[in-house]
Amino acid sequence: QAQLVESGGGLVQSGGSLRLSCKLSGSVNDYYAIGWFRQAPGKEREGVSSMSTSDGRRDYADSVKGRFTISSDVAEHKVYLDMNNVKPEDAAVYYCAALTYITYFNGRHLDLLQYEYDDWGQGTQVTVSS
């Protein structure tokens, strides 16, 4: 089990940009996929974006498609979420999470965000001013 630590959250103005970082204690490639999720007060947790570490496949929630970009730096054991044109509804605690190979290949989902991820970080707060 790897440890994941998020950073980069903070206050951003509506229309602005932020880069969130997820640092793993081990190799990014030890997992099938790394994803970003978020939860706002009083709302259900939702998937934001995820990427396969093996084939480069990337999935995005419809609400962030065209605005957010997920990427990785394998040498640094990091996965990033670049948030552009941030909207008030993007305010939430953002979590990164890791999906194991076993969980992925035992599943039947077509979208990486539909899986139940195995290891989670503590979260980083994103606040949006408008």
Side-chain angles (χ1 to χ4, degrees), residues 46-122:
E46 64 175 340
V48 178
S49 182
S50 183
M51 65 176 294
S52 168
T53 63
S54 59
D55 62 14
R57 168 185 169 189
R58 290 166 168 80
D59 291 332
Y60 295 91
D62 288 341
S63 60
V64 307
K65 195 172 299 181
R67 300 188 298 119
F68 292 8
T69 302
I70 190 169
S71 62
S72 67
D73 186 331
V74 175
E76 295 292 325
H77 297 184
K78 289 182 178 179
V79 175
Y80 301 100
L81 183 69
D82 289 305
M83 306 167 59
N84 298 306
N85 190 24
V86 172
K87 300 179 179 181
E89 53 263 41
D90 295 321
V93 176
Y94 282 71
Y95 302 89
C96 64
L99 180 69
T100 66
Y101 284 90
I102 293 174
T103 301
Y104 173 76
F105 285 112
N106 282 338
R108 302 288 190 274
H109 306 299
L110 299 178
D111 191 311
L112 291 173
L113 292 170
Q114 294 179 297
Y115 286 89
E116 182 177 354
Y117 282 59
D118 300 280
D119 298 330
W120 292 77
Q122 294 295 309

